[in-house]
Amino acid sequence: MLFWIITAVLTFAVAVLLLYPLWRASAPAIDVDRAGEEAVYRDQLRELERDKAQGLISAEQAEYARAEIGRRLLAVAGKGAEAPVRTGRHRMAQIFILLCLPLIGLGFYLETGSPGLKDQPLAARLENPGNNIDLLVAKVERHLAQNPEDGAGWDVLAPIYFRGGRMGDAHMAYRNAIRLSGPSAARYAGLGEVIIAENDGVVTADASAAFEAALKEQPDNPRAEFYLALGFEQAGKQDEALAAFEALAAKSPADAPWLPLVKQHIAMVSGKGPVAAQGDAPGNPSEADIAAAQDMSAQDRTAMIRGMVDSLDAKLKENPDNFEGWMRLVRSYAMLKEPDRAVDALNAAFKTFPANGKQGAQLADLGRQLGLPVEDVKQ
């Protein structure tokens, strides 16, 4: 019953809001212009009588002027008599709002709604969330608020947080799951991926440590092996990266979903294929760039990469607030075996992102991985 009362009140309020402009439009309007004209002509008549009394004009001239002013005054008064009173205007619209809109809304709700459905309080929905992911997460979160030492709950939430882009929550959940439920390859690998996501795709020292711990739990974990190889590649350690990627490719099944990506990195590191389109590629080439590089010689491919890196360098000079761009530029110069230019890029990046900040710390960490003199740069 309460639902219908609230619905009726809301319907009445909406009807009033819609009718108010129409009611205002139906009110008789005051013709301000007509009233002003009448006042002017009446003033002219009074002025004419004063001029006649003072002898400024003759009686004949006064009579002629009085007739002309009177004619104009009658014409203005006639305009007001001809103007219709606007009562009854928009009557069909008012009837539609008062009768048709509520009936249409009621019919639509009775057809598609569920007026007989019982109330579903949050507590009851949490007890039986079905396939609603948001309710499932809320249920587990409420359980963990009361039982924070339940490692299984953190284990369930961690990958859900990660897929939902809640990296801070995912990091905490993986740490708690490892602490409470013990180490496992899946938990350490998941933690490593979260750390990479938090650092804009950079395989940091913390991420590498997580993947190494995953390999201790499961020596043939392809996810951990791939990211460790990627860490070597980002650090400019081409030989170690090539060996790690080739080892992973050799032990992977022919239909492994990660194998094409591994082969792509092997081609890039060895200089026999196009630059990968991932965020760690120099200058972030487009798909067209990658396709064009397929038929290039090694010299031409290097020239193309050089062009993309130079273009990125020029863009960063115009827009130094692009943190991810600085990360790519430093890695790119390291991959091109130009440590001096990598140091210069770090030095320029620290001007916008000081080393004592979060992003500056990531730049410093990347410089250390690449073997650059980070301390000298920061000074």
Side-chain angles (χ1 to χ4, degrees):
M1 187 62 184
L2 179 61
F3 170 78
W4 294 111
I5 293 174
I6 295 174
T7 301
V9 171
L10 292 175
T11 302
F12 175 77
V14 171
V16 169
L17 289 174
L18 293 175
L19 287 171
Y20 181 69
L22 301 180
W23 288 337
R24 290 189 61 186
S26 298
I30 299 174
D31 195 338
V32 178
D33 293 337
R34 181 175 61 83
E37 285 187 64
E38 288 183 0
V40 170
Y41 291 140
R42 293 187 190 279
D43 288 341
Q44 288 179 351
L45 286 174
R46 288 192 290 270
E47 185 69 23
L48 180 63
E49 292 298 329
R50 286 194 296 270
D51 291 346
K52 179 182 177 183
Q54 295 174 5
L56 298 177
I57 60 174
S58 64
E60 184 180 354
Q61 291 174 330
E63 189 64 28
Y64 177 79
R66 185 184 298 108
E68 179 62 21
I69 294 172
R71 184 185 65 78
R72 295 180 182 180
L73 183 60
L74 288 174
V76 172
K79 290 181 184 178
E82 294 172 1
V85 179
R86 291 180 291 175
T87 60
R89 192 179 177 189
H90 305 301
R91 184 161 294 166
M92 293 302 296
Q94 295 175 15
I95 293 173
F96 180 80
I97 292 172
L98 287 173
L99 298 178
C100 297
L101 277 184
L103 291 176
I104 292 173
L106 178 62
F108 185 75
Y109 176 72
L110 292 176
E111 178 67 24
T112 62
S114 303
L117 188 65
K118 295 182 179 180
D119 292 339
Q120 291 186 314
L122 179 60
R125 284 181 287 161
L126 289 177
E127 290 299 325
N128 186 23
N131 294 324
N132 190 318
I133 297 298
D134 292 335
L135 286 179
L136 283 169
V137 172
K139 181 177 181 179
V140 177
E141 287 177 335
R142 189 176 71 165
H143 168 75
L144 288 173
Q146 299 171 353
N147 304 277
E149 299 301 309
D150 183 2
W154 294 112
D155 209 19
V156 169
L157 277 184
I160 296 176
Y161 282 151
F162 179 73
R163 287 192 294 269
R166 298 170 58 177
M167 298 306 163
D169 292 333
H171 193 144
M172 175 191 66
Y174 272 119
R175 292 286 188 191
N176 286 337
I178 293 170
R179 176 175 60 87
L180 297 170
S181 296
S184 75
R187 292 175 192 133
Y188 275 122
L191 176 62
E193 287 187 330
V194 169
I195 296 173
I196 292 175
E198 289 178 318
N199 289 276
D200 301 314
V202 177
V203 183
T204 64
D206 288 342
S208 296
F211 291 123
E212 289 170 357
L215 286 178
K216 290 181 180 179
E217 300 296 325
Q218 182 185 349
D220 292 326
N221 187 296
R223 184 162 53 154
E225 291 179 341
F226 172 81
Y227 281 113
L228 287 173
L230 182 61
F232 288 134
E233 179 184 339
Q234 291 179 350
K237 300 177 180 179
Q238 308 294 72
D239 294 338
E240 293 91 331
L242 181 60
F245 280 127
E246 288 180 340
L248 177 57
K251 67 174 69 173
S252 298
D255 58 349
W258 60 83
L259 191 56
L261 182 60
V262 173
K263 290 181 177 179
Q264 188 180 30
H265 279 273
I266 290 174
M268 183 184 71
V269 174
S270 63
K272 299 178 181 178
V275 179
Q278 277 68 32
D280 54 309
N284 266 9
S286 64
E287 293 182 4
D289 294 330
I290 296 172
Q294 293 281 5
D295 300 324
M296 288 182 178
S297 64
Q299 183 177 0
D300 291 340
R301 190 178 301 114
T302 301
M304 185 192 76
I305 295 173
R306 162 65 60 195
M308 288 187 293
V309 173
D310 290 342
S311 175
L312 177 61
D313 196 345
K315 289 178 180 178
L316 288 173
K317 289 178 181 177
E318 297 178 0
N319 178 25
D321 294 329
N322 184 354
F323 171 72
E324 185 179 348
W326 286 115
M327 296 285 284
R328 290 202 308 271
L329 185 64
V330 173
R331 288 198 300 267
S332 299
Y333 281 135
M335 292 173 63
L336 292 172
K337 307 296 184 182
E338 297 184 4
D340 292 340
R341 300 195 70 176
V343 169
D344 291 340
L346 263 182
N347 193 24
F350 282 135
K351 292 179 180 178
T352 305
F353 303 99
N356 57 358
K358 179 181 178 181
Q359 292 171 314
Q362 294 179 27
L363 285 164
D365 191 23
L366 173 62
R368 294 189 190 95
Q369 292 183 37
L370 297 173
L372 302 177
V374 176
E375 298 303 324
D376 295 341
V377 172
K378 290 195 294 182
Q379 291 175 0

